[in-house]
Amino acid sequence: MGEQEQESVELEAVEVMEEQPTTDDQSDYSSWPPAIRFDIPPHKTYHFSRHFRASSNPNNFLKGVKWSPDGSCFLTSSDDNTLSLFTLPDYDNCIDEKACSSAAIEDSFPASLALTEGEAIYDYCWYPYMSASDPVSCVFATTTRDHPIHLWDTSTGQLRCTYRAYDAMDEITAAFSIGFNPSGTKIFAGYNKSIRIFDIHRPGRDFQQHSTIQGNKEGQAGIISSIAFSPSHTGMLATGSYSQTTAIHREDNMELLYVLHGQEGGVTHVQFSKDGNYLYTGGRKDPYILCWDIRNTVEIVYKLYRSSESTNQRIQFDTEPYGRYLGTGGQDGLVHMYDLQTGQWVSSFQAASDTVSGFSFHPFLPMAATSSGHRRFVGLDESDEELSLTLRDDENCASVWGFSVYSAEDYAANANLGDSNGQLDQENS
């Protein structure tokens, strides 16, 4: 099949995405999403460890976890270059602690899909309008070393599209980070000192390229390691770089607005608050998540501690559906919760016995998923197989946690729960 014919077939595969379907699964919770109680420790709802030890790599470990936009499933990335998809059997009933059993020895249920890439996985992201009720929208994008960007179909496990970038030698160059824009029409990909933008309806080698370094040598240097878009549709996006900087751009023309300095390590994760007024950044071997007010970036608003001083791993954090609390993992196996209105620590719980590299809140249910693990180096008298047998069930694993919620009466009495960063806004006004 020629390249033009292949791109024609790929174009038909993504053409229907222009309709941008809404997620019907969230309609039941739009009027009153359950407000999570963090003063009560969560219970482990599902657990998965055997799946990741069946790999050809006995020293396999998880690198991250992300919920799908409709909340029907979550995706994990592991060191054996595999992405595993776990679909909740009946996630509407998972609010009830008694409705979901916990299994520590055997996996709660098998993975519905496992995709293996050819090289190490740099980044992955969900199509923002993904809905299980519309199979055409059930896709996610990945970028791996020495490979183009791939768009995968979660229903069939087939490769839907490829988006290829070339360097000056006309060789394929891999993106280090990717992200869909809020409208779901483009893929923004981070490279060394540049960002390339692909139209999802035009697979192939067509893209726009924007340098992150301006003519006067100012701007954002280094590899663009993370990308995040403002959820308030202000047309802004943030990019983190291994040069220890975070930059804010305009989405329409990639104009550089300002560059933030303050991270002690290379920035590995950036995320906006729900109202789009604040930005949270985390770095490699940096024990603090920094909070920035993007309306006044002169000073850091506050710092949130996490245990990550001696690991090169990305430590993922996330904000809960209301946007008032942030959860983050760390090397100590704990998940810490912080109140984003005050920057104060709220609670923590033991999620694993090793590094919790991934943490992701469910988009609208009182649940969260964690992934754990780190690379273990075997001794001279120990084999990889023996190392795998010594792992505990709460190491190199993925878990789903169920949180307690406020009653409707308590929620009505505490209406300020939904006012994300309201206190900070009043103080800054």
Side-chain angles (χ1 to χ4, degrees), residues 62-76:
L62 281 84
K63 294 182 174 181
V65 59
K66 294 182 181 181
W67 282 102
S68 63
D70 71 339
S72 63
C73 56
F74 62 90
L75 194 63
T76 64

Side-chain angles (χ1 to χ4, degrees), residues 117-429:
E117 288 278 14
E119 293 288 345
I121 300 170
Y122 287 147
D123 199 7
Y124 58 102
C125 60
W126 285 97
Y127 176 64
Y129 292 94
M130 178 270 183
S131 175
S133 60
D134 183 7
V136 178
S137 68
C138 296
V139 295
F140 62 88
T142 64
T143 178
T144 59
R145 184 172 56 198
D146 298 330
H147 283 70
I149 298 172
H150 291 157
L151 192 69
W152 295 97
D153 190 318
T154 62
S155 302
T156 63
Q158 299 298 313
L159 181 62
R160 189 83 73 85
C161 301
T162 60
Y163 304 90
R164 304 184 291 275
Y166 292 82
D167 58 17
M169 303 298 294
D170 203 35
E171 296 178 348
I172 289 181
T173 177
F176 294 95
S177 57
I178 53 175
F180 285 95
N181 65 339
S183 61
T185 58
K186 297 178 181 179
I187 296 177
F188 284 64
Y191 295 82
N192 186 19
K193 301 178 184 178
S194 66
I195 294 175
R196 292 179 171 94
I197 305 174
F198 300 86
D199 189 330
I200 68 168
H201 305 109
R202 300 183 63 183
R205 59 184 300 165
D206 293 336
F207 57 83
Q208 301 175 19
Q209 182 168 343
H210 299 272
S211 174
T212 59
I213 300 295
Q214 299 175 347
N216 54 5
K217 303 301 181 180
E218 295 182 354
Q220 187 176 33
I223 293 173
I224 307 303
S225 58
S226 54
I227 299 175
F229 291 85
S230 174
S232 59
H233 300 284
T234 56
M236 292 191 297
L237 73 149
T239 58
S241 170
Y242 286 139
S243 65
Q244 305 180 2
T245 60
T246 302
I248 307 295
H249 305 263
R250 285 183 53 179
E251 179 188 339
D252 53 357
N253 58 8
M254 289 304 299
E255 176 188 353
L256 178 63
L257 301 179
Y258 35 82
V259 179
L260 308 176
H261 300 266
Q263 213 77 54
E264 296 178 2
V267 178
T268 57
H269 190 186
V270 294
Q271 183 173 345
F272 280 93
S273 62
K274 299 298 182 180
D275 59 9
N277 292 329
Y278 296 87
L279 181 69
Y280 308 102
T281 64
R284 175 179 292 173
K285 286 190 174 181
D286 190 334
Y288 293 103
I289 298 172
L290 306 183
C291 173
W292 304 87
D293 186 339
I294 65 172
R295 300 161 297 181
N296 181 14
T297 59
V298 176
E299 296 181 353
I300 299 171
V301 180
Y302 52 69
K303 298 181 178 180
L304 310 177
Y305 175 78
R306 59 179 179 178
S307 176
S308 60
E309 297 91 336
S310 59
T311 178
N312 284 321
Q313 285 182 261
R314 294 188 180 210
I315 305 296
Q316 177 187 352
F317 56 86
D318 195 19
T319 57
E320 49 91 25
Y322 276 113
R324 176 170 175 176
Y325 297 94
L326 180 146
T328 178
Q331 286 182 274
D332 51 7
L334 294 172
V335 171
H336 294 282
M337 299 294 175
Y338 289 92
D339 188 333
L340 297 181
Q341 289 188 346
T342 62
Q344 298 298 314
W345 177 87
V346 174
S347 65
S348 63
F349 67 93
Q350 192 77 38
S353 297
D354 52 5
T355 302
V356 179
S357 57
F359 180 82
S360 179
F361 277 108
H362 192 281
F364 55 92
L365 290 181
M367 301 171 65
T370 59
S371 62
S372 75
H374 57 258
R375 182 170 285 107
R376 293 169 168 83
F377 298 96
V378 299
L380 296 177
D381 57 346
E382 186 180 15
S383 66
D384 287 342
E385 288 75 11
E386 291 174 338
L387 173 63
S388 180
L389 293 175
T390 61
L391 292 176
R392 297 171 48 176
D393 289 322
D394 60 350
E395 296 176 332
N396 290 6
C397 62
S399 302
V400 177
W401 304 86
F403 290 87
S404 301
V405 299
Y406 287 96
S407 65
E409 293 77 12
D410 291 337
Y411 173 74
N414 296 273
N416 63 338
L417 285 173
D419 185 13
S420 174
N421 301 104
Q423 181 174 329
L424 287 176
D425 287 336
Q426 293 177 5
E427 292 177 353
N428 295 333
S429 61

